[in-house]
Amino acid sequence: MASPYSGDPRARRYSAPRDRLPGRTRRIVLWSVAGVVLVLIIGAGWVGIRGLLAKNELQSALPYAKTVQSSITSGDLPAAAAAAKELRRHADKAASYTDDPIWRAAELVPFAGPNLTAVRIAAAATDTIAVHAILPLVGVAHDVDPARIKPVKGAIDLAPLSKVQPVVIRAQSAFDAAAASVDRIDTGATLGPVADAVDHLRTMLASAKPAVDAVGNSARLLPGMLGAGGPRTYLLLAQNPAELRATGGLVGALALIRADHGKISLGEQVSGTSLVPFEAPVSVIPAATQGLYGPLLGRYIQDVNLTPDFPLAARTASAMWTAKAGGHIDGVVTIDPVALSYILQVTGPVTLPSGDVLSSKNAVPLLLSDVYQRWSDPAQQDAFFSAAAKAVFEKVATGSADGAALMSAFVHSATERRMLVWSAHPGEQKVLDSTTLAGTLPASTPSSAGIGVYFNDATGAKMDYYLRTEIEVGSAVCRIDGKPSTQVTVTLTNEAPLDAATRLPAYVTGNGTYGVPAGHIRTRVAVYGPQDGLLTATRSGTADYPTIAGTDSGRPVSVFTVELAPGQSKAVKVDLLNVKQNVAGAAVTVTPTIHATNATPDVGGQFGASIIALDCGQTVK
């Protein structure tokens, strides 16, 4: 039958195209698909080639980065400058290969995208560090050379450091920003080689950060703290680890250090016993801290550092000094005889008025043991300590020691928390808070629990010369909710002679004055858990161990007492729950004792502690 529209010309004009439309559409679709495929192939080739070129440039840059570091360390600044320029050239090319519209568009492609993003960020960070951190630092390396910063005839020339301060600060900020961008790279969806490369870059930046921070923080702090803007006065606390306190040792002696436009001088020196107790606390002590350590922190100079919070201890000590002697204190610095031994390794021996030759080898036994055998009168002991401190200070002030080696000794002391610094100037304290010099309570991160283990002597004598400590910390995810558990094992050993009660001086043993039998060592241990964490148990063996449970600045704390006769040893385990962490990890801060088991940080641990694998079956659920 004919179509009812067959006689209508409009119908013919309409129906004919409808018959041909599917074929044309197919051709259009096919050509479109082919075009898209071609674009994708070209784009993939473009990205692949440029990615390979970027990889090669980054690999070529690494040797130059190492050359820069080694050349600066050896003092070969021309070689460092030449290597820095090559580093910049390779880093710039790597960044340019990974930062164009095609590359950015390819980052949106599933699977490939995260890998391309990771490569681009890594290349850009390397370029930023080369251009804005390494090159500027190499340019001013001569002015921040430790050899030029060291005292010469009692004074440090601050002019070069002040001149380059803005450059160094900008370089430090650029380095930190680039390192942070690398830390934010999500390698969870990247290929193994890309993830490994990012981890390698993170490791390199982490190893370089201490050196960058040392230069940057020195430029930020030293001019002002050494009196570039006017005279400064600091209170030096000499800590005695033969009678432990949480920050290192009982404050046995105090001295004033003055700095004026780089000129450093040693002022008044007094014994800790000369500051008689105050009837009431001289500064505000938080109620939670008093609950853990008692009310003496604000009344006795010897007890200001029962708390491991050094800024709090320093503010209290400063208030005590000014209440007794008047004046103004710009900051507080601590040091102990072990730190003195590190300094003496650089300066060489010094001769004391007594005729003794104080050296790096005999400083610790002479100052913390032999002196008590020689004199029973505390006044004579204090005079000897003061003479030793003055002799070492004068030796350093002459500028005869190698500046780089001297700086290394100070860094070593700070790493072990044997040297701490607090500033009364908020801007300076903010910088110090980011360093090991600050002595703040342990901080936690989303991936690492901040753990603290601190010791306070409860013998009332000098028996901690014979105390050995061993600390093991392990974390693991043992719970269904994914929250990690952390276990801290503290082992104390009394290594005093078995006949210590009769062999050692009464001043050393305490002779039972505070209820501790002569020769015994009584120690109060404070274990701090991560911020907002929970204390779940304190045990020795399988039994609960008596403890004072509390909190300090949002951290759970277990305070327990261990008493040991000569030759005895005891281990106490503290179980904690990390509330704000979802992965196992721990960073440990420890009171620096005379004989720390782990005297040097290693791959698996930190100073004074070992990081171990935790068996979930060992924890208390």
Side-chain angles (χ1 to χ4, degrees):
M1 178 183 294
S3 169
Y5 301 105
S6 58
D8 188 343
R10 292 176 301 176
R12 288 195 296 272
R13 288 195 299 269
Y14 178 73
S15 60
R18 288 188 63 184
D19 291 338
R20 295 192 299 269
L21 185 59
R24 179 181 297 179
T25 301
R26 282 196 297 271
R27 287 194 297 272
I28 291 172
V29 170
L30 288 174
W31 279 110
S32 298
V33 170
V36 170
V37 170
L38 182 61
V39 168
L40 289 176
I41 292 173
I42 294 173
W46 175 270
V47 171
I49 293 172
R50 291 174 74 84
L52 180 61
L53 292 172
K55 166 182 166 293
N56 292 338
E57 293 295 341
L58 287 175
Q59 287 181 334
S60 299
L62 292 181
Y64 291 107
K66 296 177 181 178
T67 300
V68 170
Q69 184 175 4
S70 61
S71 298
I72 290 178
T73 302
S74 65
D76 189 352
L77 296 185
K85 290 179 181 178
E86 287 299 310
L87 171 63
R88 177 186 180 179
R89 183 171 66 84
H90 289 292
D92 180 66
K93 285 185 177 180
S96 67
Y97 287 139
T98 59
D99 191 20
D100 61 63
I102 296 178
W103 186 286
R104 290 292 187 122
E107 290 183 19
L108 301 176
V109 178
F111 181 72
N115 295 279
L116 299 178
T117 300
V119 173
R120 173 178 57 79
I121 294 174
T126 304
D127 185 48
T128 295
I129 290 170
V131 175
H132 299 292
I134 292 180
L135 273 173
L137 289 176
V138 169
V140 300
H142 176 72
D143 295 304
V144 296
D145 186 350
R148 303 193 68 189
I149 298 176
K150 71 175 184 176
V152 177
K153 296 181 180 180
I156 294 175
D157 183 6
L158 299 178
L161 200 57
S162 297
K163 181 182 69 174
V164 304
Q165 188 181 56
V167 176
V168 174
I169 291 174
R170 285 196 298 270
Q172 184 186 23
S173 298
F175 181 93
D176 289 343
S181 71
V182 174
D183 285 339
R184 288 193 297 268
I185 295 175
D186 182 6
T187 57
T190 61
L191 295 172
V194 175
D196 291 343
V198 171
D199 288 341
H200 181 59
L201 180 57
R202 284 172 177 163
T203 300
M204 285 190 62
L205 296 179
S207 65
K209 182 172 172 56
V212 173
D213 283 346
V215 174
N217 293 337
S218 295
R220 291 173 187 265
L221 294 171
L222 285 180
M225 294 189 74
L226 293 180
R232 292 287 189 95
T233 301
Y234 298 95
L235 182 63
L236 176 66
L237 307 181
Q239 297 189 125
N240 186 338
E243 188 171 349
L244 283 169
R245 292 291 185 269
T247 66
L250 174 133
V251 178
L254 303 90
L256 291 182
I257 297 177
R258 294 186 173 87
D260 188 4
H261 291 86
K263 182 174 178 58
I264 307 170
S265 58
L266 184 64
E268 182 180 1
Q269 293 179 269
V270 301
S271 166
T273 57
S274 66
L275 268 70
V276 295
F278 294 84
E279 293 184 2
V282 298
S283 63
V284 177
I285 307 296
T289 305
Q290 287 199 49
L292 293 170
Y293 303 107
L296 303 182
L297 278 74
R299 297 183 56 228
Y300 288 79
I301 188 67
Q302 294 86 354
D303 293 329
V304 294
N305 53 345
L306 287 172
T307 171
D309 185 351
F310 178 67
L312 173 59
R315 289 194 298 270
T316 306
S318 174
M320 287 183 176
W321 180 273
T322 55
K324 292 291 186 183
H328 173 75
I329 297 298
D330 291 290
V332 177
V333 181
T334 69
I335 196 168
D336 74 359
V338 180
L340 282 182
S341 73
Y342 299 156
I343 295 171
L344 286 165
Q345 287 179 355
V346 180
T347 64
V350 295
T351 301
L352 307 182
S354 63
D356 293 281
V357 177
L358 189 67
S359 69
S360 61
K361 293 183 178 180
N362 71 1
V364 172
L366 180 58
L367 295 173
L368 298 179
S369 179
D370 297 351
V371 68
Y372 302 121
Q373 302 278 356
R374 191 180 302 182
W375 295 296
S376 59
D377 182 359
Q380 291 177 298
Q381 299 165 5
D382 292 339
F384 187 79
F385 294 144
S386 295
K390 182 179 180 181
V392 175
F393 180 87
E394 291 176 347
K395 184 79 169 181
V396 172
T398 62
S400 58
D402 177 80
L406 192 60
M407 184 67 70
S408 178
F410 289 142
V411 171
H412 189 181
S413 301
T415 300
E416 296 185 357
R417 294 171 64 89
R418 301 188 185 281
M419 181 177 291
L420 302 173
V421 180
W422 169 79
S423 174
H425 300 261
E428 294 172 355
Q429 185 58 33
K430 184 177 180 180
V431 176
L432 286 168
D433 282 341
S434 65
T435 73
T436 56
L437 290 167
T440 52
L441 295 179
S444 298
T445 69
S447 60
S448 181
I451 304 296
V453 182
Y454 306 104
F455 306 112
N456 281 305
D457 173 75
T459 312
K462 300 296 185 287
M463 286 296 294
D464 289 331
Y465 183 81
Y466 302 98
L467 180 69
R468 295 300 191 277
T469 64
E470 184 176 354
I471 301 164
E472 293 181 337
V473 178
S475 291
V477 177
C478 303
R479 295 161 51 99
I480 296 177
D481 62 6
K483 298 301 181 185
S485 300
T486 296
Q487 185 175 90
V488 182
T489 303
V490 181
T491 303
L492 303 182
T493 304
N494 181 349
E495 294 191 348
L498 296 179
D499 58 350
T502 56
R503 181 176 173 181
L504 298 178
Y507 188 83
V508 173
T509 65
N511 206 29
T513 302
Y514 296 98
V516 181
H520 286 217
I521 300 176
R522 181 184 292 171
T523 307
R524 289 196 179 92
V525 183
V527 175
Y528 279 58
Q531 291 155 291
D532 298 317
L534 297 173
L535 170 66
T536 59
T538 301
R539 300 170 290 140
S540 184
T542 58
D544 289 340
Y545 197 80
T547 183
I548 298 173
T551 61
D552 194 353
S553 298
R555 298 161 174 83
V557 184
S558 173
V559 179
F560 55 88
T561 301
V562 175
E563 184 174 326
L564 302 169
Q568 283 189 332
S569 181
K570 180 178 285 292
V572 178
K573 296 180 185 292
V574 177
D575 291 296
L576 302 154
L577 179 64
N578 310 353
V579 174
K580 288 198 169 182
Q581 288 74 38
N582 292 314
V583 295
V588 190
T589 300
V590 182
T591 295
T593 62
I594 299 171
H595 308 288
T597 302
N598 297 322
T600 304
D602 56 29
V603 174
Q606 300 168 102
F607 169 74
S610 294
I611 306 298
I612 63 171
L614 178 63
D615 179 1
C616 287
Q618 298 173 343
T619 65
V620 174
K621 304 294 174 65

